[in-house]
Amino acid sequence: MNPDLVGRTYGPIGVVADPGSVAAFVTATGDHPKRWAMAAPPLFANALLFKAAPLFLRDPDVAPFTASLIHSEQEYQWSGALPIGSALDVEGRERQTLTAATPPPAS
């Protein structure tokens, strides 16, 4: 992929940690609903990241490689708990570019 992608950002996208989405996430992860009555679980950020992912996948420099992309890591910055009902901005940033892997020659 193009090394010029490093540092490119996607978003910000305005999102809300709405009660229904948080409850669905808690149910899907098997956590206890009462534990997250006031704030979203920290990994709820994973679900929010999907709001920015389409911008990345539709980038003309990325789209030709979507069949072979490998997600390697993600990182979050926290300033505190995410209260249910909070509005925030989600932004994705490309941190590294992977090169295409090719199979070894047939023996």
Side-chain angles (χ1 to χ4, degrees), residues 32-91:
H32 195 283
K34 290 184 181 179
R35 181 176 181 198
W36 302 107
M38 303 300 290
L43 289 181
F44 182 69
N46 290 337
L48 296 177
L49 192 57
F50 279 94
K51 302 292 185 178
L55 297 175
F56 170 72
L57 296 172
R58 286 190 217 122
D59 183 322
D61 293 327
V62 174
F65 301 96
T66 56
S68 60
L69 284 177
I70 298 172
H71 179 272
S72 60
E73 67 181 74
Q74 57 201 30
E75 182 178 300
Y76 301 99
Q77 294 178 354
W78 303 103
S79 59
L82 179 59
I84 293 176
S86 294
L88 66 150
D89 290 328
V90 175
E91 181 177 79

Side-chain angles (χ1 to χ4, degrees), residues 5-10 49 77 91-96:
L5 289 172
V6 175
R8 194 173 291 182
T9 59
Y10 302 92
L49 192 57
Q77 294 178 354
E91 181 177 79
R93 180 177 299 119
E94 182 62 28
R95 292 175 28 140
Q96 68 183 37

Side-chain angles (χ1 to χ4, degrees), residues 22-23 25-39 41:
V22 172
F25 182 85
V26 169
T27 299
T29 58
D31 210 334
H32 195 283
K34 290 184 181 179
R35 181 176 181 198
W36 302 107
M38 303 300 290

